[in-house]
Amino acid sequence: MMAGKSIHELSIGDSAQISKKITEADINDFARVTGDFNPVHLDQTYAEKTVFKGKIAHGLLSVGLLSSILGNILPGHGTIYLSQEVKFLAPVRIGDTITARVEVMELVPEKNRVKFKTICTNQDGKVVVDGVAWAMPPTR
């Protein structure tokens, strides 16, 4: 397995993204793994009576896509995800295609820390998650 990029191989503006179509199975699996069985995610009849007018995905399901990028692509394998500030701006529904993107905002070589802009958009380009993450890239 190849190690990810070290802090000295990263530059401000470097970015990576992935896209995933959100399925009902994804939402059910997320509920099962986390224990979050809020009916707004799982019960259509209940969810129709909420402000969302139907089932929505857990917000952290989208954030998990950001984790996938940091751990697998940029910086990649060996990266430690340290923190995430997040704003949930719009609901994610079954069938939405979410594009998660991270971009290097700041490098702190003396502490081996990288600050990332983190954003998730849906297939219409609407921002559903916006935030900032800190990570520790692998060392050589």
Side-chain angles (χ1 to χ4, degrees):
M1 185 178 313
M2 178 111 170
K5 291 184 174 186
S6 74
I7 197 159
H8 304 293
E9 298 171 294
L10 297 170
S11 301
I12 305 283
D14 285 355
S15 66
Q17 69 180 42
I18 60 171
S19 294
K20 177 174 182 19
K21 186 172 186 171
I22 303 302
T23 67
E24 187 163 22
D26 293 329
I27 294 169
N28 291 338
D29 288 347
F30 192 89
R32 185 180 47 76
V33 168
T34 63
D36 180 351
F37 297 104
N38 183 331
V40 76
H41 306 303
L42 304 170
D43 182 336
Q44 184 64 24
T45 303
Y46 174 91
E48 283 172 1
K49 297 174 187 154
T50 70
V51 65
F52 301 112
K53 306 291 185 223
K55 291 194 293 188
I56 60 169
H58 302 74
L60 287 176
L61 183 54
S62 296
V63 175
L65 299 176
L66 298 167
S67 178
S68 176
I69 298 169
L70 293 174
N72 293 316
I73 304 169
L74 185 72
H77 296 159
T79 298
I80 304 300
Y81 201 160
L82 297 172
S83 69
Q84 177 72 56
E85 174 189 306
V86 65
K87 292 181 184 135
F88 300 106
L89 300 176
V92 172
R93 301 182 186 281
I94 294 167
D96 282 354
T97 297
I98 300 303
T99 298
R101 183 174 189 277
V102 305
E103 180 179 330
V104 176
M105 294 174 64
E106 184 181 337
L107 299 166
V108 186
E110 61 277 12
K111 292 187 175 180
N112 193 38
R113 301 290 189 271
V114 183
K115 184 179 183 181
F116 293 91
K117 175 173 181 44
T118 56
I119 191 166
C120 296
T121 54
N122 68 16
Q123 64 280 356
D124 300 320
K126 182 170 189 142
V127 176
V128 297
V129 171
D130 189 22
V132 173
W134 282 92
M136 188 170 59
T139 54
R140 295 272 184 257

